[in-house]
Amino acid sequence: LLDSSDEEVEKCNLVSNVPLSHSQSSQNDLDENKEQSQVTLGPLIAPPDPPLFPFHDDEFILTPFGPGKILSWRVERHALGNIKSCNAHSDGTIYNPTLIYSIDLDYGICHIPASQVKSISGTRYTEHTLLTYQRVPITEFDLLRLRPLTYLNDSIVNFYLKYLKVKYDEKYGKKVEKENSNNSSEDKDR
């Protein structure tokens, strides 16, 4: 009985008589190059996926197109290098995989290689305060949190609670004060 794994190992351990760059040469060239060099090909194993970057789903990052929120990521590999497709920005091959992030920008979704993505912390989006409302600073990063399907952060919640309190005091504060003053004067009359 023949074991198919033995045949596969035999195929992978071929000895080539020419350098790999001359694989397209004619038979005459092959005969001439036999004496020049020999290259041994070992088993061809795809390398592991690229290391994951510290960005996670639903995290905000900077792209060449502006800030965006990561929706997902994938590892892209192609059997042939430099395949011309709609993802022309990807140079991922089977031996050089590329990590691609799907990012939600203000104006649509784009797919960007990890090499073009960087952290938003420490940039003007997190450092520059746009306004301060009753000692609650609001940055551009906080405004990004107002996008649909995004969790709010403490600054946005604090801002809104303080805003509601001011509006409540404007509308009902005087009535409450009048009622309290009337109640206290009635207590004195008794």
Side-chain angles (χ1 to χ4, degrees):
L1 295 173
L2 291 176
D3 186 8
S4 62
S5 62
D6 292 338
E7 292 174 17
E8 290 173 13
V9 170
E10 228 173 271
K11 288 178 187 176
C12 290
N13 290 327
L14 294 175
V15 175
S16 175
N17 295 326
V18 294
L20 294 176
S21 62
H22 294 116
S23 60
Q24 303 289 328
S25 300
S26 66
Q27 185 62 33
N28 292 338
D29 291 339
L30 291 175
D31 292 338
E32 291 174 9
N33 289 328
K34 276 184 182 179
E35 298 169 4
Q36 290 179 2
S37 65
Q38 286 191 344
V39 177
T40 303
L41 299 176
L44 300 176
I45 300 171
D49 290 342
L52 297 180
F53 288 82
F55 305 123
H56 305 287
D57 293 353
D58 293 332
E59 187 173 340
F60 284 94
I61 45 87
L62 281 180
T63 71
F65 311 109
K69 183 173 86 168
I70 296 177
L71 299 175
S72 64
W73 58 270
R74 70 180 185 271
V75 176
E76 205 166 270
R77 300 173 188 262
H78 297 292
L80 303 173
N82 299 327
I83 291 181
K84 302 296 181 201
S85 67
C86 61
N87 290 333
H89 59 266
S90 174
D91 293 328
T93 65
I94 197 162
Y95 294 104
N96 184 20
T98 303
L99 186 62
I100 304 290
Y101 286 110
S102 297
I103 300 171
D104 182 19
L105 301 170
D106 281 336
Y107 47 86
I109 296 173
C110 68
H111 307 283
I112 300 177
S115 61
Q116 296 181 8
V117 172
K118 60 183 181 178
S119 176
I120 200 167
S121 62
T123 64
R124 71 177 175 91
Y125 290 96
T126 58
E127 302 298 323
H128 179 70
T129 301
L130 295 175
L131 68 102
T132 302
Y133 183 79
Q134 295 203 355
R135 298 187 310 197
V136 178
I138 302 294
T139 64
E140 288 186 58
F141 180 72
D142 297 328
L143 294 181
L144 291 173
R145 290 273 175 202
L146 295 175
R147 298 175 69 184
L149 302 174
T150 304
Y151 293 110
L152 300 176
N153 63 4
D154 294 345
S155 296
I156 296 295
V157 172
N158 289 339
F159 170 83
Y160 191 62
L161 288 175
K162 296 227 179 192
Y163 173 78
L164 288 177
K165 181 169 182 343
V166 167
K167 290 298 180 186
Y168 180 84
D169 289 345
E170 287 175 2
K171 188 171 183 178
Y172 300 109
K174 294 178 182 176
K175 292 179 184 178
V176 171
E177 289 174 14
K178 286 181 185 177
E179 289 176 11
N180 286 339
S181 63
N182 289 340
N183 288 340
S184 62
S185 63
E186 289 176 7
D187 291 337
K188 289 179 186 177
D189 292 338
R190 288 187 191 178

